């Protein structure tokens, strides 16, 4: 599993083209999404959907922690390059 490091300011994701998506009820950011589509002949060639979602981890009855997990929807050259850039920038770790 890949996740965003705890000490990372999530505004750094916006430098890589991620857009925040907000919860309609609370107004809190619940995920960051980067999505691009190529409307040429090969639809999947330059298609990126990477989301960074806030995940709740229940450790006990009253002990809950949150972390930001990365979901890679499509494995394309551009999405793998972006993931590599996130790792090189020190934003992502494997857990």
């Amino acid at each position: 599993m890949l996740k965003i490091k705890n000490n990372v300011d999530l505004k750094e994701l916006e430098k890589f083209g991620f857009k925040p998506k907000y919860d309609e009820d609370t107004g809190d950011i619940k995920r960051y999404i980067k999505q691009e589509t190529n409307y040429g002949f090969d639809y999947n060639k330059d298609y990126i959907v990477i989301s960074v979602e806030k995940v709740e981890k229940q450790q006990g009855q009253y002990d809950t922690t949150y972390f930001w997990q990365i979901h890679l929807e499509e494995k394309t050259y551009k999405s793998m390059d972006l993931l590599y850039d996130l790792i090189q920038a020190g934003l992502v770790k494997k857990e």
Side-chain angles (χ1 to χ4, degrees), residues 38-51:
N38 179 16
Y39 294 107
F41 293 108
D42 186 3
Y43 292 105
N44 291 324
K45 184 177 180 186
D46 290 332
Y47 183 69
I48 294 176
V49 176
I50 295 179
S51 64

Side-chain angles (χ1 to χ4, degrees), residues 5-79:
K5 292 180 179 179
N6 292 335
N7 60 346
V8 169
D9 181 15
L10 295 175
K11 295 282 186 186
E12 293 290 319
L13 293 173
E14 294 177 16
K15 293 179 183 177
F16 291 92
F18 285 88
K19 305 277 187 217
K21 299 296 179 187
Y22 297 92
D23 188 319
E24 294 175 359
D25 297 327
T26 63
D28 294 334
I29 297 174
K30 66 177 182 178
R31 79 178 67 172
Y32 284 85
I33 294 179
K34 177 166 175 89
Q35 183 172 359
E36 294 179 6
T37 305
N38 179 16
Y39 294 107
F41 293 108
D42 186 3
Y43 292 105
N44 291 324
K45 184 177 180 186
D46 290 332
Y47 183 69
I48 294 176
V49 176
I50 295 179
S51 64
V52 180
E53 295 187 19
K54 190 174 186 179
V55 178
E56 180 179 311
K57 183 177 180 182
Q58 202 76 23
Q59 294 180 338
Q61 185 175 2
Y62 300 105
D63 189 16
T64 303
T65 58
Y66 296 94
F67 62 93
W68 292 87
Q69 184 176 3
I70 295 178
H71 299 281
L72 181 63
E73 302 291 333
E74 292 285 333
K75 291 182 182 176
T76 64
Y77 291 114
K78 285 186 90 173
S79 61

